Amino acid sequence: MMTGVLLAGGHPRRIEGRPAELLVLAGETVVAKQIREMLTICGEVIIVTNEPKIFLEHVPRSVRIITDFYPGRGPLGGLHAALTLSRYPELWVTGGAMPFISARAASFLAEHRSVFGYDAVLPEVSGRPEPLHGIYRQSCLTALTPLLESGSDVQPGWMTFLRKLRWGCVEADMLRKQNLGDAFTFRIKTEKQYSEAVSRAQAQVRSVFR
């Protein structure tokens, strides 16, 4: 069992006047779609955001909405809050507005992490590790907390954090061999990407009813 985490950020990106997480795809919001997928393998779901009111009326009461312990420290600040408050020692961490996250991919990454004993495992996307569909152990706090408490005005980056861990990356070829691809890392950042997401979601619905 693990904790599913959505790092929704401090100021949600708005598209067509709405936060990207609340855009509708095939009859449900992006955040609802993410939560539904996470609950297939997760014992709890946490949303980390500095604007919790945005989500309160759109998610089940069982979903925990928390804020950063270290505001202004970027996504790693959100990760720290989730690692600290997670009920489970293993976390599947994604970003907001990622409508096609995959429990199958997360399970495969978690298995890889367990086999090799890593602190974290990330998928490779476009030749680079993607932190926002990764599996992290709660023990990552040992490295992350001092980094956030360093006092630097510069937001720490993912690679600075990862260099302090024992981590692995599942290569794109391996993901393809498992019929996983990398669509699960797709993120809505623009109106064009929203249109693409609508088309993908409708295609998914059609495939279910064939």
Side-chain angles (χ1 to χ4, degrees):
M1 195 64 71
M2 68 177 79
T3 293
V5 178
L6 305 180
L7 300 182
H11 301 284
R13 180 179 290 105
R14 290 183 176 272
I15 296 173
E16 297 187 357
R18 306 186 70 188
E21 291 85 353
L22 300 183
L23 295 170
V24 176
L25 300 177
E28 66 181 339
T29 62
V30 172
V31 69
K33 196 173 189 301
Q34 288 182 270
I35 291 169
R36 176 168 55 81
E37 183 71 7
M38 283 189 157
L39 287 177
T40 63
I41 61 170
C42 295
E44 68 167 346
V45 173
I46 293 174
I47 297 176
V48 188
T49 175
N50 289 329
E51 296 191 36
K53 289 182 180 180
I54 291 175
F55 298 97
L56 286 175
E57 63 181 282
H58 297 281
V59 302
R61 290 186 179 182
S62 60
V63 173
R64 300 166 63 197
I65 302 176
I66 66 175
T67 57
D68 293 355
F69 292 178
Y70 295 96
R73 304 299 275 167
L76 289 180
L79 176 62
H80 174 274
L83 290 169
T84 301
L85 297 178
S86 172
R87 293 175 183 150
Y88 300 99
E90 191 165 47
L91 295 82
W92 169 20
V93 178
T94 73
M98 293 175 66
F100 306 113
I101 61 171
S102 166
R104 280 189 61 235
S107 295
F108 184 68
L109 294 169
E111 181 180 356
H112 191 84
R113 191 215 60 75
S114 179
V115 167
F116 291 97
Y118 291 127
D119 299 313
V121 167
L122 314 180
E124 180 188 68
V125 178
S126 300
R128 302 178 62 182
E130 173 50 71
L132 291 181
H133 201 291
I135 304 296
Y136 299 83
R137 292 287 290 175
Q138 214 167 19
S139 56
C140 292
L141 274 171
T142 303
L144 182 54
T145 301
L147 189 62
L148 296 176
E149 292 179 343
S150 65
S152 171
D153 292 333
V154 179
Q155 287 186 3
W158 283 102
M159 292 310 300
T160 300
F161 169 53
L162 291 171
R163 280 193 288 268
K164 298 178 180 295
L165 305 178
R166 185 168 181 267
W167 68 285
C169 188
V170 176
E171 295 179 352
D173 285 345
M174 187 179 296
L175 294 171
R176 281 192 289 270
K177 287 177 182 178
Q178 297 294 319
N179 294 318
L180 294 170
D182 61 10
F184 55 85
T185 63
F186 180 89
R187 193 169 189 181
I188 301 173
K189 297 181 179 180
T190 64
E191 290 190 12
K192 181 178 179 181
Q193 288 171 332
Y194 176 41
S195 296
E196 182 180 346
V198 169
S199 298
R200 288 191 186 192
Q202 290 172 342
Q204 286 181 342
V205 171
R206 287 195 296 270
S207 68
V208 170
F209 290 100
R210 281 178 184 171

